[in-house]
Amino acid sequence: MTLGPLHGFRDFYPAELAERAHIMRAWREVARRFAFVEYDGPPLESLELYTRKSGDEIVGQLYNFVDKGGREVALRPEMTPTVARMVGARANALRKPVRWFSMPQLFRYERAQKGRLREHFQLNVDIFGEPDVTADAELVAVAIEIMRALGLTSADVQVRASDRRILTGWLAALGVPESAYPAAYAVIDKLGREPRDVAEEKLLKGGVPQAAVEPILGAAEQSLDAVAARVAGTEAAAHVDAYRRFAEGVAALTGDGAQWLRFDLSIVRGLAYYTGIVFELFDAQGELRAICGGGRYDGLLKGLGGPDMPALGFGMGDVVLGELLRQKGLLPTEAPGPDFWVTGNAAGGIPLAMQAARELRAAGFAVEYALRAQKPDKQFKAAQSAGARYVLQLHEEFADNRVVTVREAHRPSGGPSLLAHLPGADIALDQVIAAATTHRASTF
Amino acid sequence: MTLGPLHGFRDFYPAELAERAHIMRAWREVARRFAFVEYDGPPLESLELYTRKSGDEIVGQLYNFVDKGGREVALRPEMTPTVARMVGARANALRKPVRWFSMPQLFRYERAQKGRLREHFQLNVDIFGEPDVTADAELVAVAIEIMRALGLTSADVQVRASDRRILTGWLAALGVPESAYPAAYAVIDKLGREPRDVAEEKLLKGGVPQAAVEPILGAAEQSLDAVAARVAGTEAAAHVDAYRRFAEGVAALTGDGAQWLRFDLSIVRGLAYYTGIVFELFDAQGELRAICGGGRYDGLLKGLGGPDMPALGFGMGDVVLGELLRQKGLLPTEAPGPDFWVTGNAAGGIPLAMQAARELRAAGFAVEYALRAQKPDKQFKAAQSAGARYVLQLHEEFADNRVVTVREAHRPSGGPSLLAHLPGADIALDQVIAAATTHRASTF
């Protein structure tokens, strides 16, 4: 028997699924509050959808193949081409702005390495049809509110944002010729990840004047005010103003966005298609890869042969975020157990336990019972091992008087017990259901 | 621009995603109440996992290919081999019975035909480690309670169940020799779907005695009592007793299971591995394919080289179920709209709308506002087109007195309006939030 999954793929046993579900619940819940609606596309698309956006070089990283009908296809490596295709196909009919989110599983054929995954789940949040930076602020606010919903604070996570057009204006103001921008971008994108002398040499070789080298190597420390002063009177000044409006928007939408958000001229983002504000979320310790990245890509739909429509979005994967949450103790450590375990009596046996289970389940509770006759103490242990919260033992006379004994099997949270809301431990099932329904939020 | 998905794959625009989400919520919620825990596996597995269970013939129907590392792999066509692999790998560590569910997307390379899909989503519910028919009853009760949660009744859906061992005993009692069982199974599996004379000829050719032909052609109409009488005194009599206990269990677990469940000797199930009770759910009109099918497959894990462990499960796809629900008007017809649309005032503009949106979102409501300055009447129309429930217009003095005007934008359900719980339409935002929180369930 093959015991494991394919290399780079994950089995989600209940404990791991509980982690993933915890993250996905926060994604979906925050996206809903921000009035984004969910969509999905196929996990398999035509290869051309990806090469048209990223060129033929991308194929080396894709899970692509020729299907039985002779079509060149690929497991989706990212969601943007799919959403661009879907929005493009109904561009006229869709209400603008389009506010959509999705949580696809994505695939890449990475070279086999320890810990390198070939799939992950990624929240994608996008807005189409709105050029104003208010839309950019909404997006970043969604990312921040997800962190907050998961228990993270601005002491744990920082949002770093910039605008490629501000960077360009700043480079121009430093006297960097246009021909040297690619070299400057490449070095800025790797700041802190390659030795200083290597970076310096690349800049000079690329045509960056000596006087601009020092400022470029310190790009990450440039304040917005310093950059504003440098580009005053140039075209980029308008982008600085827009960035300020964006930052104010993030603050208004989150209440404390100023604590989360930091202007960082060194945020370039690898992908060539960003046209405005770009941002990334990092753990404050700087130990992990980016948690989230995105920005504005107004030219993409048109570039793919679709309508000319402003667009912006971000992707947030489950892997890095999961690592951070695990480090902070903010992930569930096991799958949820039943709310109640029902133990039958000798008189009625399993059919009576089934009937009690039915009533509790109909009231919305998760209920398990022993599927064959077992002694009560063995069942109590089974209830504990199932992670049940309470055990209900049916009295011998249950069929006549509906009385059960309520016990705690498991005390996971330290919250108040249902027992505190009952007049006694021996009580009619109906009263247990009524009390459990009323105190559901606090006693489970 | 490629506008469509690959042939046989679905784009889920928000309206279609809302349908899928509605079905999946019911799947997950009922599985949770029955104390099943969720797991997931990779959508891509080694091809061998499927050929070992189903033989090499299965390859013709699979989405299989050779990956860049030279591995023979396939997009999962069903979940059972994956769950058998996962349970097999931790057979000793897992608490028994294992009660697991999953909602994977599955793939088949079907010949291209109108309306034929190459993917669907399927709820899989399985129990491992329990030989008693109580477990079979739990499974069928889950399927019935899902129907109920989706608004279907026993007038819409019927569960037909049988036991292959009862069928075998009945055939033996009719004098059918063992060598003729395959012919009998094949005909019974197609009852009502091929002409009577064709079926009769197949039976006789296959070695079924003339006297058994008429009963076999009427297998679907055999009552359990008639079958019990026929097999009395044989080994199969014990399986009839077990079936009765199973049916009583379904009744106890659902309250009205007797109305949903019908003994039907003609339920054979195509898959060769079933070893006990088998069942299928059908629409009562008999117009659609099966909604759900499953049963006991005690030999499977061992057959795949894993531990000897009793097992049973069912699969329920989203496509046939979705068709039935759509026919009955039981699916949402559009994606959910925001709870509130906030319209700013001239004095504060968008930043003030953002602040109000933040407060409403923090209370858990879905909120949208215009991302750039627009006249209030244009915004009201935008709110309606977004499907918003209420519009909050900030007063000019909102920054000082927090007063808003509450209006209905959209009255979807005919339920009571939030306005009925407010002392007037012009009211402080805080009172709106308090009333909306208290009456959340009824007013949205």
Side-chain angles (χ1 to χ4, degrees):
Chain A
M1 194 178 206
T2 314
L3 289 180
L6 285 173
H7 180 84
F9 286 80
R10 291 174 289 176
D11 282 340
F12 290 89
Y13 281 85
E16 288 95 48
L17 198 289
E19 293 187 342
R20 182 180 114 187
H22 181 76
I23 290 172
M24 286 187 164
R25 256 195 306 272
W27 285 351
R28 187 172 268 138
E29 168 57 15
V30 174
R32 184 194 65 76
R33 281 177 2 216
F34 277 76
F36 286 80
V37 292
E38 192 169 354
Y39 71 96
D40 194 9
L44 199 69
E45 294 266 20
S46 79
L47 181 62
E48 193 201 352
L49 190 66
Y50 305 110
T51 53
R52 192 150 31 168
K53 176 181 163 216
S54 309
D56 287 338
E57 318 82 71
I58 192 73
V59 177
Q61 300 164 42
L62 296 187
Y63 238 115
N64 62 302
F65 62 99
V66 178
D67 79 7
K68 292 178 179 176
R71 292 172 210 85
E72 296 254 32
V73 296
L75 288 166
R76 60 186 171 199
E78 54 160 330
M79 201 60 174
T80 305
T82 295
V83 70
R85 171 176 75 62
M86 288 174 66
V87 169
R90 300 198 185 171
N92 291 327
L94 291 168
R95 179 182 75 88
K96 262 71 80 180
V98 173
R99 301 167 70 102
W100 279 9
F101 79 99
S102 192
M103 314 195 305
Q105 191 171 18
L106 304 177
F107 306 87
R108 278 185 186 255
Y109 196 87
E110 303 259 14
R111 184 143 306 183
Q113 278 177 18
K114 192 171 170 296
R116 266 298 209 188
L117 289 176
R118 288 180 169 161
E119 52 76 21
H120 72 141
F121 288 85
Q122 189 187 67
L123 170 68
N124 278 252
V125 182
D126 290 275
I127 299 177
F128 296 89
E130 180 50 61
D132 195 88
V133 291
T134 314
D136 303 69
E138 281 273 295
L139 271 194
V140 170
V142 168
I144 290 173
E145 291 300 331
I146 287 169
M147 298 301 113
R148 202 198 308 268
L150 288 166
L152 295 164
T153 70
S154 57
D156 304 313
V157 173
Q158 284 284 297
V159 183
R160 298 195 215 145
S162 180
D163 185 321
R164 290 283 277 275
R165 296 163 302 180
I166 298 177
L167 177 59
T168 315
W170 183 72
L171 291 173
L174 286 172
V176 177
E178 220 173 308
S179 59
Y181 288 179
Y185 290 154
V187 165
I188 290 170
D189 193 35
K190 285 199 175 158
L191 280 178
R193 285 184 289 135
E194 64 183 3
R196 194 192 157 83
D197 53 338
V198 174
E200 189 167 345
E201 201 190 317
K202 280 190 186 170
L203 288 175
L204 293 171
K205 256 199 184 158
V208 171
Q210 180 69 57
V213 166
E214 203 56 39
I216 288 175
L217 293 179
E221 283 76 45
Q222 293 285 337
S223 72
L224 183 59
D225 287 340
V227 172
R230 178 74 81 168
V231 303
T234 74
E235 253 183 53
H239 301 307
V240 172
D241 291 345
Y243 182 91
R244 289 196 202 279
R245 229 160 32 81
F246 154 76
E248 286 160 16
V250 172
L253 287 166
T254 59
D256 60 353
Q259 289 171 44
W260 297 78
L261 183 65
R262 191 163 82 76
F263 176 73
D264 184 340
L265 204 50
S266 76
I267 297 297
V268 176
R269 305 274 305 142
L271 293 158
Y273 62 77
Y274 288 106
T275 57
I277 286 172
V278 288
F279 61 93
E280 293 185 347
L281 270 66
F282 292 94
D283 68 298
Q285 309 302 318
E287 289 170 358
L288 307 172
R289 283 167 296 143
I291 295 166
C292 167
R296 185 173 278 280
Y297 50 93
D298 285 343
L300 182 72
L301 263 74
K302 200 175 173 198
L304 290 175
D308 187 4
M309 196 189 265
L312 58 161
F314 72 76
M316 181 187 293
D318 68 325
V319 177
V320 177
L321 179 56
E323 279 175 55
L324 178 62
L325 292 170
R326 210 170 295 114
Q327 274 183 16
K328 305 273 176 193
L330 292 170
L331 281 183
T333 54
E334 53 187 336
D339 299 319
F340 292 103
W341 181 286
V342 175
T343 305
N345 59 23
I350 288 171
L352 221 49
M354 286 173 152
Q355 186 198 309
R358 174 177 66 76
E359 296 182 40
L360 288 156
R361 287 168 173 167
F365 298 103
V367 183
E368 190 168 343
Y369 60 94
L371 297 179
R372 63 189 128 157
Q374 284 178 336
K375 294 226 168 79
D377 61 330
K378 192 163 176 203
Q379 286 198 47
F380 194 82
K381 280 190 191 125
Q384 289 181 312
S385 121
R389 184 77 173 89
Y390 304 101
V391 171
L392 297 188
Q393 163 83 53
L394 308 192
H395 280 210
E396 279 304 307
E397 310 77 19
F398 176 80
D400 300 321
N401 64 13
R402 297 186 50 78
V403 172
V404 301
T405 301
V406 186
R407 282 192 291 169
E408 294 205 66
H410 191 64
R411 189 79 182 270
S413 64
S417 166
L418 179 59
L419 285 162
H421 300 292
L422 297 174
D426 298 306
I427 188 169
L429 178 59
D430 317 79
Q431 284 180 273
V432 176
I433 292 176
T437 302
T438 306
H439 303 286
R440 193 187 300 255
S442 67
T443 57
F444 289 92
Chain B
M1 193 178 210
T2 314
L3 291 180
L6 285 172
H7 179 84
F9 285 81
R10 291 172 291 175
D11 283 339
F12 290 90
Y13 281 85
E16 288 94 49
L17 197 290
E19 293 187 342
R20 183 180 114 187
H22 181 76
I23 290 171
M24 287 187 164
R25 255 194 306 274
W27 284 352
R28 186 173 270 137
E29 168 57 15
V30 173
R32 183 194 67 75
R33 284 182 352 221
F34 277 77
F36 286 79
V37 292
E38 192 169 354
Y39 72 96
D40 194 11
L44 199 69
E45 294 267 20
S46 80
L47 181 62
E48 193 200 352
L49 191 65
Y50 304 110
T51 54
R52 192 152 29 170
K53 176 180 165 216
S54 308
D56 286 338
E57 318 82 70
I58 192 73
V59 178
Q61 299 164 41
L62 296 187
Y63 238 114
N64 63 305
F65 61 100
V66 179
D67 80 6
K68 292 177 180 178
R71 292 171 209 84
E72 295 252 32
V73 296
L75 288 166
R76 60 186 171 200
E78 54 160 329
M79 201 61 174
T80 304
T82 295
V83 71
R85 172 177 75 61
M86 288 174 65
V87 169
R90 301 198 184 169
N92 291 329
L94 291 168
R95 177 183 75 88
K96 261 71 78 181
V98 173
R99 301 168 69 102
W100 280 8
F101 79 99
S102 193
M103 313 194 304
Q105 191 172 17
L106 305 177
F107 306 87
R108 275 183 188 255
Y109 196 87
E110 302 259 14
R111 184 142 309 182
Q113 277 177 18
K114 194 171 168 298
R116 266 298 208 188
L117 289 176
R118 288 179 169 162
E119 52 76 21
H120 73 140
F121 289 85
Q122 189 186 67
L123 171 68
N124 278 252
V125 182
D126 289 275
I127 298 176
F128 296 88
E130 180 50 62
D132 195 88
V133 292
T134 315
D136 304 69
E138 281 274 293
L139 270 195
V140 170
V142 169
I144 290 173
E145 291 300 333
I146 287 170
M147 297 301 112
R148 205 198 305 270
L150 288 166
L152 295 164
T153 70
S154 58
D156 304 314
V157 173
Q158 284 286 299
V159 184
R160 299 195 214 146
S162 181
D163 185 322
R164 290 281 279 274
R165 296 164 301 181
I166 298 177
L167 177 60
T168 314
W170 182 72
L171 290 173
L174 286 173
V176 177
E178 218 172 311
S179 60
Y181 288 178
Y185 290 154
V187 165
I188 290 170
D189 194 35
K190 285 200 175 158
L191 280 178
R193 286 184 289 136
E194 65 183 3
R196 195 192 156 84
D197 53 339
V198 175
E200 189 167 345
E201 200 190 316
K202 281 188 186 169
L203 289 174
L204 294 171
K205 256 198 184 157
V208 171
Q210 180 69 56
V213 167
E214 202 57 37
I216 288 176
L217 293 179
E221 283 76 44
Q222 293 285 338
S223 72
L224 183 59
D225 287 340
V227 173
R230 178 76 76 168
V231 302
T234 74
E235 253 182 55
H239 301 307
V240 172
D241 291 346
Y243 182 91
R244 289 195 203 276
R245 224 156 39 77
F246 153 76
E248 285 159 16
V250 173
L253 287 167
T254 58
D256 60 354
Q259 289 170 45
W260 297 78
L261 183 65
R262 191 162 84 74
F263 175 73
D264 183 340
L265 202 51
S266 75
I267 298 295
V268 176
R269 306 273 306 143
L271 293 159
Y273 61 79
Y274 288 105
T275 56
I277 287 173
V278 288
F279 61 93
E280 294 185 348
L281 271 66
F282 292 94
D283 68 298
Q285 308 303 317
E287 290 168 358
L288 307 172
R289 283 167 294 143
I291 295 166
C292 166
R296 184 173 279 280
Y297 51 93
D298 284 344
L300 182 73
L301 263 73
K302 199 175 174 200
L304 291 175
D308 188 4
M309 194 188 268
L312 59 160
F314 73 76
M316 182 187 293
D318 68 325
V319 177
V320 178
L321 179 56
E323 279 175 56
L324 179 61
L325 293 170
R326 211 171 293 113
Q327 274 182 16
K328 305 272 178 195
L330 292 170
L331 281 182
T333 54
E334 52 187 337
D339 299 319
F340 292 103
W341 181 286
V342 176
T343 305
N345 59 23
I350 289 170
L352 221 51
M354 286 173 151
Q355 187 199 307
R358 173 178 66 76
E359 295 182 42
L360 287 157
R361 285 168 174 167
F365 298 103
V367 183
E368 190 169 344
Y369 60 94
L371 297 179
R372 63 187 130 157
Q374 284 178 337
K375 294 224 168 79
D377 61 331
K378 193 165 175 201
Q379 287 197 47
F380 194 82
K381 279 189 193 126
Q384 289 181 311
S385 121
R389 184 77 171 91
Y390 304 102
V391 172
L392 297 188
Q393 162 83 54
L394 308 193
H395 281 209
E396 279 306 306
E397 311 75 22
F398 176 80
D400 301 320
N401 64 13
R402 298 186 49 80
V403 173
V404 302
T405 301
V406 186
R407 282 193 289 169
E408 294 205 66
H410 191 64
R411 189 76 183 273
S413 62
S417 167
L418 178 59
L419 284 162
H421 301 292
L422 297 174
D426 298 305
I427 189 168
L429 178 59
D430 317 77
Q431 284 180 273
V432 176
I433 292 176
T437 302
T438 306
H439 303 287
R440 195 187 300 254
S442 66
T443 58
F444 287 94

